[in-house]
DNA sequence: GTTTATGCAAATTCTTTGCAATACT
DNA sequence: AGTATTGCAAAGAATTTGCATAAAC
């Protein structure tokens, strides 16, 4: 049984070829992907609707998490260990490079923010933009 | 000359009825509005395309700013003083209540975040979610 | 064999573009 | 008068839904 199949089973998912394909695409890149990024990487006969459903399933199961985008779309990136069906547990900064366009998950924690009394926080999303390390170097 | 007209002129915009209308809608609410929120508040004969253009113009001129949404859309909220055509200057936290659905600009600064060497930051967006003060009270 | 996922068709909604008519200053 | 804005039509994307078929376990 392949690595991809195992990974999907770990999340209580049937290891269909389509899902393995999408999972592999995420593994191939170290930055967040939009629906259309993924679509471009799939065999052309793949069905867009199935991809919608696959992404939704992956989100629900805690395989991937949403990455906000300043243009209003969404991107997706693989979760690290701590996520599952019950709870997503993300506390890292997302950085979008305005030069290369890539959005990456940084290994930097979002600092705690104190809100006024009465606010309960369940989720936090921090998107920073600018020029990334790679683009500055070149 | 009305307050709305003056406000638009301050931003170098012609004070057309459509723009005054949209501006008034923003003034009527103290939370961020999506394109469709605004559309619902406009007279039904209003043109969707014009609204797209009005929002774009308001963004460019620094009258409103983008508010990211966890569902992938965008919302918009009035800027405070410090924004103009040259530069948007936002450093406040956005909070989306998962109960009432409203996203508000909080008067809370985004704490500084130290990124690895080589990263330049030009913009920062922090969206927190949970239950807002109002909803917790009731 | 049962349950879950896929593919396809179709409907809806969202967004963009071009252009002629209109309104603003 | 001159320039910017609007409204309309139309095209193109993006997203959702239902259902019958096929695949996974």
């Amino acid at each position: 049984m392949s690595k991809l199949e195992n990974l999907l089973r770990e999340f209580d998912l049937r290891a269909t070829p389509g899902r393995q394909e999408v999972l592999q695409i995420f593994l191939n890149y170290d930055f967040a992907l939009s629906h259309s990024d993924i679509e471009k990487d799939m065999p052309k006969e793949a069905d867009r609707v199935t991809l919608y459903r696959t992404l939704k399933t992956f989100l629900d199961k805690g395989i991937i998490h949403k990455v906000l985008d300043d243009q209003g779309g969404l991107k997706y990136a693989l979760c690290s260990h701590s996520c599952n069906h019950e709870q997503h547990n993300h506390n890292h900064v997302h950085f979008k490079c305005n030069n290369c366009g890539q959005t990456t998950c940084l290994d930097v924690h979002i600092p705690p923010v104190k809100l006024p009394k009465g606010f309960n926080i369940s989720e936090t999303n921090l998107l920073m933009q600018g020029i990334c390390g790679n683009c500055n170097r070149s």
Side-chain angles (χ1 to χ4, degrees), chain A:
Chain A
M1 188 174 312
S2 81
K3 185 176 117 191
L4 291 172
E5 289 176 283
N6 276 326
L7 197 41
L8 288 166
R9 294 260 171 65
E10 272 177 40
F11 286 94
D12 281 319
L13 289 176
R14 292 188 178 182
T16 67
R19 285 172 179 170
Q20 293 179 52
E21 178 108 36
V22 175
L23 190 48
Q24 182 61 60
I25 291 174
F26 277 110
L27 290 167
N28 289 159
Y29 298 98
D30 62 346
F31 48 89
L33 303 171
S34 67
H35 179 110
S36 95
D37 290 336
I38 298 166
E39 213 178 321
K40 286 184 194 115
D41 242 42
M42 303 265 292
K44 58 188 168 319
E45 69 274 15
D47 182 33
R48 204 198 322 279
V49 175
T50 301
L51 179 53
Y52 279 109
R53 291 191 274 224
T54 301
L55 291 175
K56 192 146 159 353
T57 304
F58 282 11
L59 275 176
D60 289 348
K61 294 291 182 178
I63 304 182
I64 60 177
H65 64 283
K66 292 177 182 175
V67 178
L68 303 191
D69 186 75
D70 65 312
Q71 297 309 302
L74 277 182
K75 296 185 174 186
Y76 306 92
L78 288 174
C79 292
S80 51
H81 347 286
S82 54
C83 298
N84 58 43
H85 187 20
E86 302 305 314
Q87 178 177 19
H88 276 276
N89 195 352
H90 298 290
N91 193 37
H92 61 268
V93 175
H94 292 146
F95 187 89
K96 176 173 181 176
C97 177
N98 292 329
N99 183 237
C100 65
Q102 292 181 4
T103 305
T104 48
C105 295
L106 298 187
D107 196 11
V108 173
H109 281 229
I110 299 176
V113 178
K114 197 166 158 44
L115 298 190
K117 275 209 189 319
F119 283 80
N120 284 160
I121 301 168
S122 65
E123 203 172 328
T124 302
N125 251 291
L126 178 55
L127 176 69
M128 309 193 84
Q129 288 177 260
I131 308 297
C132 73
N134 274 340
C135 287
N136 266 325
R137 205 167 300 132
S138 10

